[in-house]
Amino acid sequence: MNTRRIIRTVICSALLLGGIVGPMQAHASVVIAATRVIYNAKERETTIKLSNEGKTPSLTQVWVDKGDEQAEPASVDVPFTVTPPVARLDPGKAQTLRIAYTGEALPADKESVFWLNVLDIPPKAKDEGGKLNLLQLAIRSRIKLFFRPANLPGNPEEAPDQIQWRLVSGGIEASNPTPYHVSFAEIEIVAGERSAKYEEGGMVRPGEAKVFPLKGDWHMATGTKVRYQAINDFGGPHRNEVALQKQ
């Protein structure tokens, strides 16, 4: 799972008459200032900044979901409000989003995870004379929103190093005994000159055991190590390696 997942949604298209639209690249004009949001329970609200780095105005729609990326904003029931939910953002300007916890019960002994969505809707493209084949895209960015209760034991920065690793059929199992979510960008098993990797990224929830499939050429031997790159609260890398014990 990437630190920032982009979903492209077609919002308007013209009829394509006798032509083929070539490869297209969609780039979000509206950029989120972080790759994750940490909401500490003791805070009344938390904020995050959006910036329009494009050359045209954008309309932004913002909402929080529980993890179902197909859920419509109006149908999502979450204990957070985000303001402003809709706003115009001019080129070179910034907008501060305010996220407030509305008080519904969440687990007090572990983190909860939600997703913050930012939909970047570009202005309608000008087609003078009606001679162009137009395809407009709205780009949705989704980043994790972690709700962190007060007085959790341990330290979130040290949580990746508390993961317990075990070889299983089809890959390596990561067990998380901590109350914090641990996100990985990469996991590698090294045995001598052989190695196997998992590079797609993934997250292990508190108290969860998750299997990551491995690709590569390796075998279990004395001195086999697990090397991993986790992602900290600021979106930066946390790298470490530990010896993998024979089962």
Side-chain angles (χ1 to χ4, degrees):
M1 184 178 301
N2 295 329
T3 56
R4 178 174 295 161
R5 185 172 185 176
I6 305 298
I7 299 174
R8 298 175 180 177
T9 307
V10 177
I11 61 170
C12 179
S13 62
L15 292 176
L16 305 179
L17 302 176
I20 298 176
V21 176
M24 292 184 12
Q25 290 185 338
H27 301 281
S29 296
V30 175
V31 177
I32 308 174
T35 61
R36 61 204 51 236
V37 179
I38 309 297
Y39 195 121
N40 291 298
K42 61 183 179 181
E43 299 175 350
R44 293 185 58 184
E45 65 178 22
T46 190
T47 62
I48 189 169
K49 187 175 75 171
L50 305 181
S51 301
N52 186 350
E53 299 183 359
K55 297 180 180 180
T56 59
S58 283
L59 182 68
T60 60
Q61 182 181 10
V62 185
W63 70 96
V64 175
D65 69 59
K66 295 180 178 180
D68 179 5
E69 63 188 39
Q70 302 301 325
E72 296 293 332
S75 68
V76 176
D77 182 18
V78 293
F80 297 95
T81 59
V82 186
T83 54
V86 178
R88 172 191 167 108
L89 195 53
D90 290 325
K93 301 297 183 180
Q95 171 74 59
T96 298
L97 297 180
R98 299 185 180 277
I99 306 170
Y101 173 50
T102 54
E104 287 86 341
L106 290 173
D109 60 347
K110 61 182 179 181
E111 286 183 335
S112 298
V113 64
F114 299 85
W115 291 82
L116 176 68
N117 298 262
V118 177
L119 183 64
D120 175 5
I121 305 172
K124 184 177 180 179
K126 294 182 179 180
D127 182 14
E128 298 179 358
K131 297 180 180 180
L132 298 178
N133 292 329
L134 301 178
L135 183 65
Q136 278 189 287
L137 299 178
I139 300 180
R140 175 160 59 125
S141 301
R142 301 177 78 236
I143 65 173
K144 295 169 186 171
L145 166 62
F146 297 103
F147 181 80
R148 183 171 293 167
N151 303 317
L152 289 182
N155 187 327
E157 296 180 359
E158 299 173 354
D161 301 331
Q162 304 302 314
I163 294 292
Q164 299 167 359
W165 302 96
R166 184 171 70 96
L167 289 175
V168 296
S169 176
I172 187 166
E173 181 184 82
S175 297
N176 182 5
T178 79
Y180 304 98
H181 291 78
V182 178
S183 297
F184 292 101
E186 181 180 297
I187 300 169
E188 181 179 19
I189 306 300
V190 180
E193 297 181 354
R194 299 182 178 184
S195 66
K197 286 187 177 182
Y198 180 81
E199 299 179 296
E200 297 179 16
M203 180 178 70
V204 188
R205 296 172 182 267
E208 179 187 55
K210 185 172 183 177
V211 176
F212 296 95
L214 298 170
K215 295 181 180 179
D217 176 27
W218 71 284
H219 67 283
M220 185 69 187
T222 301
T224 298
K225 297 179 180 179
V226 182
R227 293 175 180 167
Y228 54 84
Q229 179 177 310
I231 303 168
N232 64 26
D233 282 357
F234 307 99
H238 174 96
R239 298 181 177 90
N240 198 6
E241 67 175 39
V242 296
L244 184 61
Q245 302 297 323
K246 289 186 177 182
Q247 302 299 316

